[in-house]
Amino acid sequence: MIDVEYQKYVKAISTQIPEERIFTDTLHRLAYGTDGGFYRLEPQVVVRVANEKEMQLCLREASSRKLPVTFKAAGTSLSGQTISDSILLMASDGWEDYEVLEEGQKIRLQPGIIGAKVNTILAPYGRKFGPDPASINSAMVGGIIINNASGMNCGTHENAYQTIESAKIIFADGTLLDTADADSRESFRRTRPGFIEKIEEIRDRVRADEAFAARIRKKYSIKNTTGFSINPFVDYDDPFQIIINLMIGSEGALAFISEVVMRSVPNYPCKASSMVYFPDIMTACRATVALKEGPVDGAELLDRLALKSVENEKGIPDFIKQFDETTTAVLLETMALDDDTLAENIAQIKNILDDFTTLRPVEFTSDPAENAQLWNIRKGVFPAVGGMREIGTTCLIEDVAYHMDTLAEATKELQDIVAEYGYTDAVIYGHALEGNFHFILNQDFSDPKEVERYEKMMHAVIEMTVDKYDGSLKAEHGTGRNMAPFVKKEWGEKGYELMREIKQLFDPDTILNPGVIINDDPECYLKNFKPLPQCDPIIDKCIECGFCEVNCMSNNFSLTARQRIVIQREITRLKKSGKNPERLAELEKGFIFEGDESCAGDGLCQTSCPVSIDTGKYIKQIRAANRSKLSKKIGKFTGDHLDLVCSSASLALGVVGGMHSLLGTKNFGKICDTARSVSGNRIPQWTPAMPKGASAPKATPINAHAEKKVVYFPACITRSMGPAKDDPVNDSVTEVTIRVLKKAGYGIIFPEGMKNLCCGTPWESKGFIETADMKSSELEKALLIASEQGKYPVLCDTSPCLYRMRKVMDSKLELYEPIEFVHKFLLDKLDFTPKKETVAIHQTCSTKKMGIAALLKDVASMCAEKVVLPPDVNCCGFAGDKGFHIPDLNAHGLRKAVPVIKQEGPVAGYSNSRTCEIGCTSELGIPYMSIMYLVDEVTTGKN
């Protein structure tokens, strides 16, 4: 039960915010209250705020009650900026609006849009978002700006501070200021008397103190996010521009930014990268200092342990494993407008490096795929090191910067200090071109002696960084909680008091993110550590960075992959401790739907997880553990009698389809809805897209004497489900696939006992792992016989089935799903006459995980003049049969595709999974069918 004052707060905001977006239960408070850092607080109230008016309401009501508030977007922050023990306001889903301005020179953004999407939007204009943090594929604009997150190329010249144009700012009392609007500025002057005058007074006072002003300029000549950004007072005259730039790096402790206009920066079309290996870290740093004067856009240092953390990753050469303990790499990038200039840049860089010892010849690559691979390796260092930690320890990342004239000495001393205190597995890496390094520690906070060791090491680093090298204690990750006690140490009395003055001006009741940046507790950085107990080998490597959430389709519907792990870890901890059984019972009960039943299990979270955790696999494991003996027997029975199950399903679908045709969509829909309601939603949701029945093809070989042969395995789903009543086709997927293969001149072989064969996916998704493996083993044996031990390729007409087959079956089998088979084997055997209508496509999770999603668009583009692929759609949410039981999950998965389909007006959609096609048809309002229908419609055989 939350405190009385928070209950009153909830009642007040509930007048305008739906209750389903306000959370006071234990499960959601814990799940949403977790971020990527190593601290944890549990909020009293979590609100998913949808717009400016709601945010103003939330702040007004909190301000009137003097209740603390913290803001959160993606929650990838590393220093404790987005955790709260009070009110947590989420600004992600719904805050994704944008507008490209001045032909891409500027862009208007809301805070919930992911940084990488901004780059996608600006790419056609040859521009990009200035800040480029390693987390850009997951981090959101609001967090990037409010933390002044920079990254590998933007340095201090293209970060948010330098590229922000205007902002909409909501203050602690709910006042909204639009700095781009003259009326809003005038209103602010009138309603907040003395505020602008105070900004101007501070500006003039700081500038009058020449020594202090010079000190500020020097401190910000390198990356610095320690404390509030006080440099606007020396950089800008306009008080409103000063307010805008004070917000940069303020970590939500001054106000909330609801919208910004940012200047974009050039995105050079020609790029080349090289991993250069030096004998030691000092040589690497000295070479980087020299390269600073050359045409280098990025230089990322990786010490030997950083290299070791990624040396087994794809794209990393084997010779790295032979390097000695002092070897240090620097990943270089140079950019240009044309290839000739790029070649000149490379030559100049090599000439500079001739003065330094390198362990291997310096070679650059301009291949986009190879470039991306190199930089993805760099981005994955932090999570990879975290994944290597001893289970139960916490992964910390610290963030310092030094001036270039002392870079080599400071970096070597940093390395020595970390080693001196026994952190033998600590990694140093980062943005060498900006003198900005991160060091990663795997720390045990459960042992007081280990905490004391950490404390002593941190004090040594702080004293060396500040007293000896006048560097930054926080370069780009923000002050947060873990460096708040040392802001005064870095800035001195005058700088620190100025920051307190700013805080008092913006937030006089100190309700905004208290404890962050300004914190009077000298030991706050040693408190509220996040527990990471051993839970299960599948998820124990998780460091809760949140990179998975961008691909988790249940994000903002139920729990995300990260949040599922958070809850399961807490359940495990409570079970081991034997304490707080009420909390344990509440979490276990809430997890049934929020964590288990609403998980699509698609595994897309794994594709953006730096340590490749498949949370869907873990959830399936939980389902398996929860299956009763009776349910397992039923599962095995269905596996043993699949022919009966499929024929029964086909018959039932035929009856349902007949009733649909007889009664009409409206009347039959009412009957089905009533039946589902009376059953307590146990009866599956009926939809007009529900298919009619189908039957398996005869197992007799077709074109047996053809020179080219293929083994065709129709999935059980296509053997049971035909087209829907309103689909513009009559034939089943199997009939159409056979027709396309015959056009291409293929002989078709069917596996023996086909009607009882299955890949096992339906059982795997429900936790019947033994039955799933039994079915896949049966299928594998049949396919090996049919293909003559891999002599002929195998085609399965359903992508998710093919994905599982590839995971579990013999490597001798050449396994293909429809788009890959068409692309690889049929393009030269068929003549394509593209249809003039616009068509849509849906890329299934399985094609994405297999890395062949782009082929769907390639094939569709050969078949139609215009192909629509709605952006920002991951899993459709139908997830096998979940769309029949949890239709809202399906609607959530496709919510961003709806306006695109309405605007583009395609006549039909195509994919490669029958159930996904049902889900797309239901939610998007046009018929979705197998891509084989489209190929069949527009092709003729060459012979």
Side-chain angles (χ1 to χ4, degrees):
M1 179 66 70
I2 64 172
D3 293 347
V4 173
E5 282 302 309
Y6 291 99
Q7 293 178 37
K8 293 178 181 177
Y9 175 80
V10 168
K11 184 177 180 180
I13 65 172
S14 295
T15 58
Q16 296 183 36
I17 300 176
E19 290 184 1
E20 59 264 27
R21 288 197 277 111
I22 303 172
F23 304 93
T24 59
D25 64 290
T26 300
L27 181 140
H28 286 96
R29 289 190 290 116
L30 174 60
Y32 284 122
T34 300
D35 70 3
F38 52 93
Y39 298 106
R40 173 175 291 161
L41 295 173
E42 195 165 308
Q44 293 271 321
V45 180
V46 178
V47 187
R48 282 187 10 221
V49 186
N51 52 53
E52 284 180 348
K53 288 186 177 180
E54 290 185 0
M55 185 62 74
Q56 288 178 279
L57 170 68
C58 288
L59 287 174
R60 278 198 308 270
E61 294 297 335
S63 178
S64 68
R65 293 170 172 80
K66 293 184 169 48
L67 296 176
V69 169
T70 296
F71 308 108
K72 181 180 178 182
T76 58
S77 300
L78 297 169
S79 303
Q81 297 98 317
T82 61
I83 59 173
S84 169
D85 58 4
S86 183
I87 299 169
L88 184 65
L89 301 181
M90 306 280 294
S92 52
D93 196 38
W95 294 85
E96 300 158 277
D97 195 17
Y98 68 90
E99 181 184 7
V100 178
L101 306 170
E102 298 179 19
E103 295 297 311
Q105 296 294 310
K106 299 176 184 177
I107 185 167
R108 180 181 60 80
L109 299 165
Q110 286 191 321
I113 188 168
I114 292 170
K117 184 180 178 181
V118 181
N119 286 338
T120 300
I121 295 165
L122 291 171
Y125 303 93
R127 311 287 292 181
K128 65 177 182 176
F129 192 42
D132 59 343
S135 58
I136 196 166
N137 290 333
S138 301
M140 295 176 180
V141 164
I144 292 172
I145 290 173
I146 211 72
N147 287 297
N148 198 17
S150 46
M152 291 171 276
N153 289 329
C154 76
T156 58
H157 60 288
E158 291 181 341
N159 60 9
Y161 183 88
Q162 297 292 351
T163 56
I164 191 166
E165 177 96 352
S166 65
K168 286 186 178 181
I169 302 168
I170 303 177
F171 290 81
D173 62 356
T175 299
L176 173 64
L177 166 65
D178 182 355
T179 66
D181 182 79
D183 291 339
S184 180
R185 292 196 303 270
E186 182 56 37
S187 175
F188 186 80
R189 282 184 182 272
R190 189 172 59 253
T191 57
R192 298 291 292 267
F195 195 102
I196 296 299
E197 289 80 359
K198 184 63 175 176
I199 291 289
E200 292 172 331
E201 185 273 322
I202 295 174
R203 176 198 64 193
D204 297 340
R205 186 199 332 147
V206 169
R207 292 183 178 184
D209 188 338
E210 294 183 3
F212 184 41
R215 172 79 176 143
I216 291 172
R217 291 188 183 95
K218 182 182 179 183
K219 290 292 292 178
Y220 288 107
S221 66
I222 59 174
K223 287 186 179 182
N224 191 324
T225 59
T226 308
F228 293 117
S229 301
I230 57 176
N231 44 335
F233 293 112
V234 297
D235 291 341
Y236 299 103
D237 297 322
D238 177 29
F240 287 101
Q241 189 65 52
I242 292 173
I243 291 172
I244 294 170
N245 284 79
L246 282 171
M247 294 297 298
I248 307 299
S250 63
E251 302 176 31
L254 297 182
F256 174 79
I257 294 181
S258 63
E259 185 180 290
V260 290
V261 173
M262 306 294 292
R263 293 183 293 275
S264 63
V265 300
N267 184 21
Y268 293 101
C270 302
K271 301 175 184 178
S273 299
S274 175
M275 190 79 84
V276 184
Y277 303 96
F278 298 94
D280 53 65
I281 203 165
M282 290 193 75
T283 305
C285 287
R286 286 169 179 155
T288 303
V289 172
L291 289 167
K292 181 84 173 175
E293 304 304 317
V296 179
D297 294 281
E300 295 294 303
L301 180 141
L302 296 90
D303 74 357
R304 183 65 187 95
L305 288 173
L307 289 173
K308 188 177 289 293
S309 74
V310 295
E311 65 184 15
N312 293 315
E313 296 292 324
K314 180 182 177 182
I316 288 286
D318 288 338
F319 63 73
I320 285 184
K321 297 177 182 178
Q322 309 303 319
F323 285 141
D324 62 31
E325 294 181 356
T326 63
T327 300
T328 304
V330 177
L331 175 57
L332 300 176
E333 183 172 52
T334 183
M335 307 179 191
L337 290 171
D338 55 72
D339 289 332
D340 290 342
T341 304
L342 188 69
E344 292 173 7
N345 289 354
I346 293 171
Q348 191 174 341
I349 292 168
K350 287 184 176 181
N351 185 56
I352 294 171
L353 290 174
D354 283 343
D355 293 334
F356 300 90
T357 301
T358 56
L359 301 181
R360 294 184 64 84
V362 178
E363 299 294 340
F364 278 81
T365 177
S366 57
D367 178 82
E370 294 176 1
N371 264 325
Q373 182 61 45
L374 285 173
W375 287 91
N376 284 338
I377 288 168
R378 157 58 187 87
K379 292 176 183 179
V381 169
F382 170 47
V385 174
M388 293 166 61
R389 76 189 191 285
E390 184 178 338
I391 303 304
T393 62
T394 298
C395 184
L396 288 82
I397 181 167
E398 296 295 350
D399 170 43
V400 294
Y402 303 107
H403 296 276
M404 296 303 286
D405 57 354
T406 57
L407 182 64
E409 294 78 8
T411 308
K412 182 63 171 67
E413 192 166 340
L414 173 65
Q415 191 177 55
D416 291 343
I417 288 175
V418 173
E420 178 187 344
Y421 284 92
Y423 290 95
T424 55
D425 60 348
V427 165
I428 295 178
Y429 73 112
H431 320 307
L433 203 64
E434 304 297 331
N436 170 205
F437 292 119
H438 311 311
F439 58 103
I440 307 174
L441 312 170
N442 290 325
Q443 174 70 40
D444 183 0
F445 284 121
S446 64
D447 184 344
K449 291 184 178 179
E450 285 297 293
V451 174
E452 183 180 357
R453 177 169 71 111
Y454 168 71
E455 181 181 6
K456 289 179 179 179
M457 184 277 300
M458 284 299 297
H459 277 280
V461 170
I462 289 164
E463 289 172 8
M464 177 270 288
T465 299
V466 174
D467 297 337
K468 188 171 183 179
Y469 294 106
D470 196 20
S472 305
L473 294 176
K474 277 295 180 181
E476 60 178 4
H477 292 167
T479 306
R481 283 174 163 76
N482 70 325
M483 206 53 72
F486 308 106
V487 174
K488 187 175 181 179
K489 168 75 172 175
E490 177 171 335
W491 278 99
E493 187 74 32
K494 186 175 292 187
Y496 188 63
E497 286 306 312
L498 174 56
M499 293 176 188
R500 294 183 75 100
E501 192 175 4
I502 294 166
K503 174 69 172 174
Q504 178 64 26
L505 176 63
F506 277 78
D507 181 24
D509 295 321
T510 63
I511 67 166
L512 298 182
N513 220 353
V516 168
I517 296 183
I518 302 295
N519 196 315
D520 294 327
D521 181 357
E523 295 187 348
C524 67
Y525 73 111
L526 300 174
K527 298 177 180 178
N528 301 307
F529 292 123
K530 178 195 294 184
L532 293 175
Q534 184 173 358
C535 184
D536 186 275
I538 296 177
I539 62 171
D540 281 339
K541 288 183 178 181
C542 176
I543 58 172
E544 301 178 6
C545 63
F547 286 10
C548 58
E549 293 185 337
V550 67
N551 284 323
C552 181
M553 68 80 46
S554 60
N555 190 357
N556 291 313
F557 177 81
S558 57
L559 298 182
T560 66
R562 167 168 64 174
Q563 292 163 358
R564 289 181 168 93
I565 293 173
V566 168
I567 300 302
Q568 280 298 306
R569 281 175 166 167
E570 181 66 359
I571 288 173
T572 299
R573 187 186 70 82
L574 291 171
K575 284 181 176 179
K576 289 179 179 178
S577 71
K579 300 177 181 178
N580 206 336
E582 295 83 7
R583 178 180 173 89
L584 173 61
E586 185 178 350
L587 292 177
E588 288 184 319
K589 181 180 179 181
F591 194 81
I592 293 172
F593 179 80
E594 296 292 317
D596 180 354
E597 294 177 357
S598 60
C599 177
D602 55 47
L604 281 180
C605 50
Q606 182 182 28
T607 63
S608 55
C609 172
V611 290
S612 299
I613 294 171
D614 183 349
T615 308
K617 180 179 179 181
Y618 174 63
I619 296 299
K620 291 170 188 174
Q621 181 174 286
I622 291 177
R623 292 170 186 167
N626 291 335
R627 294 302 176 218
S628 65
K629 289 183 179 180
L630 177 60
S631 66
K632 289 180 180 179
K633 286 182 180 179
I634 295 172
K636 188 174 187 308
F637 177 85
T638 58
D640 290 337
H641 302 85
L642 181 60
D643 185 10
L644 174 63
V645 173
C646 287
S647 59
S648 299
S650 178
L651 178 62
L653 288 170
V655 171
V656 170
M659 294 293 290
H660 181 197
S661 297
L662 179 65
L663 298 175
T665 298
K666 185 176 181 180
N667 292 330
F668 189 62
K670 285 182 179 179
I671 293 171
C672 292
D673 289 345
T674 301
R676 176 170 164 80
S677 178
V678 170
S679 73
N681 291 340
R682 292 181 179 86
I683 294 176
Q685 171 79 45
W686 180 83
T687 165
M690 189 78 80
K692 295 177 284 188
S695 58
K698 294 180 180 180
T700 307
I702 298 173
N703 289 347
H705 300 293
E707 181 181 348
K708 291 186 177 294
K709 293 183 175 65
V710 59
V711 176
Y712 174 32
F713 169 60
C716 59
I717 202 79
T718 56
R719 301 199 304 265
S720 307
M721 292 183 173
K725 172 181 174 291
D726 296 326
D727 283 354
V729 293
N730 294 313
D731 295 335
S732 68
V733 174
T734 56
E735 292 171 315
V736 171
T737 301
I738 290 169
R739 191 156 60 232
V740 170
L741 293 173
K742 288 171 67 176
K743 279 188 206 177
Y746 269 86
I748 305 171
I749 304 167
F750 297 99
E752 186 83 19
M754 174 176 59
K755 292 185 178 181
N756 203 48
L757 294 177
C758 178
C759 67
T761 296
W763 291 274
E764 179 191 37
S765 66
K766 297 183 183 304
F768 299 113
I769 306 301
E770 291 181 4
T771 302
D773 290 343
M774 175 190 75
K775 297 306 295 181
S776 60
S777 179
E778 290 174 356
L779 177 59
E780 180 179 6
K781 291 174 183 176
L783 293 177
L784 283 168
I785 293 171
S787 67
E788 298 182 19
Q789 302 301 307
K791 179 179 179 181
Y792 305 119
V794 175
L795 168 64
C796 175
D797 52 27
T798 303
S799 179
C801 303
L802 194 281
Y803 176 70
R804 175 171 166 82
M805 290 161 64
R806 280 187 173 172
K807 279 198 305 180
V808 301
M809 290 187 179
D810 193 300
S811 59
K812 286 188 289 187
L813 291 169
E814 291 186 34
L815 302 166
Y816 298 94
E817 55 81 72
I819 56 171
E820 195 175 17
F821 190 85
V822 169
H823 197 271
K824 184 170 183 177
F825 295 108
L826 304 188
L827 296 186
D828 61 342
K829 299 174 182 63
L830 298 171
D831 286 322
F832 289 76
T833 305
K835 60 191 299 182
K836 294 183 178 181
E837 294 95 339
T838 298
V839 302
I841 56 173
H842 172 70
Q843 297 171 331
T844 60
C845 310
S846 47
T847 55
K848 292 177 182 178
K849 290 187 288 186
M850 289 187 288
I852 58 173
L855 297 183
L856 179 60
K857 188 166 187 179
D858 290 346
V859 171
S861 295
M862 297 186 68
C863 300
E865 291 186 355
K866 184 177 180 181
V867 177
V868 175
L869 174 62
D872 305 321
V873 175
N874 290 311
C875 173
C876 68
F878 209 84
D881 65 349
K882 279 194 181 295
F884 293 128
H885 300 284
I886 314 176
D888 289 347
L889 186 66
N890 180 208
H892 180 78
L894 292 172
R895 68 197 186 283
K896 295 181 180 179
V898 173
V900 177
I901 295 299
K902 285 183 177 179
Q903 179 180 340
E904 297 291 345
V907 296
Y910 299 91
S911 189
N912 48 12
S913 169
R914 189 68 192 96
T915 52
C916 296
E917 291 152 16
I918 294 170
C920 289
T921 301
S922 298
E923 294 302 324
L924 302 180
I926 58 172
Y928 272 75
M929 301 162 286
S930 169
I931 187 68
M932 296 303 279
Y933 287 99
L934 183 60
V935 173
D936 180 45
E937 181 183 351
V938 304
T939 59
T940 55
K942 284 185 180 290
N943 299 315

